[in-house]
Amino acid sequence: MIQRSAESIYVDELCKSAKDAYRQIRSIHTSQKNKVLEKLASALVSRKSEILKENAKDLEAGKSKGLSSALLDRLTLDEKRIQSLSNAVLEIKALPDPVGETVRGTTLPNGIRLNTKRVPLGVVMVIYESRPNVTIDVGALSFKSGNACILRGGSEAIHSNTILAKIFQDCLKEEGLPPNAVTFVDRTEREYMIPFLKQTSYIDIVVPRGGEGLIRFVSENSLIPVVKHDKGVVNLYIDKSADPKKVLPIAINSKVQRPGVCNAAENLIIHSEYPYTKELLEELASKGVQLLLDPRSLAIFPKGQPVKDEDYLEEFLDLRFSVKTVDKIEEAIEFIEATSSGHTEAIVTEDVSAANFFSRSLDSAAIFVNISTRFHDGGEFGLGAEVGISTGKLHVRGPMGLVHLTTTTTYAEGEGQVRG
């Protein structure tokens, strides 16, 4: 008799229960989905004291482990962020239910009627780090789109994720729905991750969102299709014609507002003829930004530190900002192509031809003109929230929202036709 490991037994049980839950919720009416989401939005606010208590445990552990201020910021839940979570759930509730939407309807010359409709993907597993809001965002998006989800957060947020998942499951139970429609993995050890990645009979898609190491590990070990939500080496280019009244707020917002998120800028590219480079660097430094400068920008702002080539390839997730000086826009394009992770590229310019050239020359999930890189976000794009931001090209690119958690089924009807 083959002895099964504790990890294997644990994973099998969770996956089977998630698949069973999917079969029960995949065809429930939109009104029932919305009722659960409305309860969830309310429960997040009414039970905020429980959430804050559990989050405090994670923050205390994170500080003792020496987590950076940016990572602690990603981990933090306060009353404002809990209210934002609740608001995001209500936004998802208000969005059209994609399930059942007709994508294509046609009648063939032989009389066969084809109707292609959106249907749920099935069981979606999301593996993520640090940010407990993912538990609610992904759970709500998955449930609204008729999917069951398996959520595996990092050890640094275990207490926060556990209480958030429990609140969601309580709302499901109150409506007579299976709580394992939102399945939470409470074992964070690495040896418990690999068995999930082999569960081809139960899990339909795996979405890793986090650091480069996590993405690589999942991609190399998964037998299940993977939608990568990779690191954000985001580039911001200041063209020679850029309006300084736009440059300062865009650069500061892109870097400083929340440096620990994937849409924060990491590389600042400045045209050598932009006349206000000194003022820009001084203002960034005054906001606490640690400037890593190439020789030409270091000559303008000697208080910075010399940049290393490898810095341009790193997702810092903190207040470090690598700076590159270029003499023409073509150099900026070449630099971005060499350093970008395909997440977001932005240009600040008053030259329409430069903006158009920049936009059509690059191949990333988002190209921005005269706006902060921080807008590359599912909520900001009107999706309510996001499963993550995909930097790949298959199935979905950019923010993954409700519609991207569906696939299609084609229904064909006829009057006895046979193929000749």
Side-chain angles (χ1 to χ4, degrees), residues 159-216:
H159 296 96
S160 306
N161 289 333
T162 299
I163 185 61
L164 291 172
K166 184 180 186 306
I167 290 172
F168 205 139
Q169 291 169 345
D170 288 346
C171 294
L172 289 166
K173 284 189 282 188
E174 287 175 18
E175 286 301 306
L177 295 170
N180 283 327
V182 176
T183 293
F184 179 67
V185 181
D186 60 4
R187 301 303 299 263
T188 59
E189 301 93 327
R190 180 62 63 91
E191 56 265 28
Y192 279 85
M193 193 191 298
I194 289 182
F196 278 109
L197 302 177
K198 312 303 179 188
Q199 293 282 344
T200 54
S201 297
Y202 297 111
I203 300 175
D204 296 282
I205 191 169
V206 175
V207 181
R209 52 179 293 182
E212 189 173 6
L214 172 66
I215 305 295
R216 185 185 306 112

Side-chain angles (χ1 to χ4, degrees), residues 37-47 86 90:
L37 294 177
E38 191 165 350
K39 279 181 176 287
L40 175 61
S42 178
L44 288 169
V45 175
S46 65
R47 298 175 66 175
S86 175
L90 291 176

Side-chain angles (χ1 to χ4, degrees), residues 195-260:
F196 278 109
L197 302 177
K198 312 303 179 188
Q199 293 282 344
T200 54
S201 297
Y202 297 111
I203 300 175
D204 296 282
I205 191 169
V206 175
V207 181
R209 52 179 293 182
E212 189 173 6
L214 172 66
I215 305 295
R216 185 185 306 112
F217 179 86
V218 172
S219 300
E220 291 176 353
N221 288 281
S222 181
L223 300 179
I224 303 162
V226 175
V227 177
K228 294 183 186 178
H229 292 243
D230 214 337
K231 66 180 181 178
V233 179
V234 173
N235 291 281
L236 173 62
Y237 169 55
I238 310 302
D239 190 40
K240 63 182 178 181
S241 70
D243 181 349
K245 293 180 181 178
K246 296 176 183 176
V247 168
L248 280 177
I250 288 173
I252 291 167
N253 187 256
S254 295
K255 181 71 240 181
V256 177
Q257 189 203 35
R258 286 196 72 186

Side-chain angles (χ1 to χ4, degrees), residues 9-134:
I9 294 170
Y10 173 85
V11 169
D12 283 354
E13 289 178 352
L14 280 190
C15 290
K16 287 176 183 176
S17 66
K19 192 73 170 184
D20 288 343
Y22 163 66
R23 294 189 182 102
Q24 295 177 61
I25 69 165
R26 68 186 305 270
S27 58
I28 63 174
H29 195 270
T30 303
S31 61
Q32 192 171 11
K33 297 177 186 178
N34 288 343
K35 192 172 182 181
V36 171
L37 294 177
E38 191 165 350
K39 279 181 176 287
L40 175 61
S42 178
L44 288 169
V45 175
S46 65
R47 298 175 66 175
K48 64 184 176 184
S49 60
E50 296 175 61
I51 298 170
L52 293 172
K53 179 181 176 182
E54 296 304 304
N55 184 242
K57 296 177 184 177
D58 291 327
L59 290 172
E60 185 178 347
K63 290 172 185 174
S64 67
K65 292 175 184 175
L67 293 184
S68 69
S69 58
L71 289 177
L72 288 172
D73 174 67
R74 294 174 70 146
L75 185 57
T76 299
L77 291 174
D78 53 25
E79 289 196 18
K80 183 178 178 181
R81 289 185 181 178
I82 291 171
Q83 185 63 57
S84 294
L85 268 182
S86 175
N87 293 343
V89 172
L90 291 176
E91 287 178 27
I92 293 168
K93 168 185 173 274
L95 291 172
D97 188 342
V99 178
E101 176 192 352
T102 296
V103 176
R104 176 176 180 255
T106 188
T107 300
L108 301 177
N110 60 11
I112 293 175
R113 297 178 296 280
L114 299 180
N115 196 6
T116 301
K117 294 185 176 184
R118 293 196 182 279
V119 297
L121 283 172
V123 177
V124 178
M125 182 172 192
V126 180
I127 302 170
Y128 53 104
E129 298 173 332
S130 300
R131 296 174 66 182
N133 66 288
V134 175

Side-chain angles (χ1 to χ4, degrees), residues 356-372:
N356 291 338
F357 179 74
F358 185 89
S359 298
R360 69 173 180 264
S361 297
L362 292 167
D363 184 17
S364 291
I367 309 292
F368 289 173
V369 177
N370 292 331
I371 60 172
S372 166

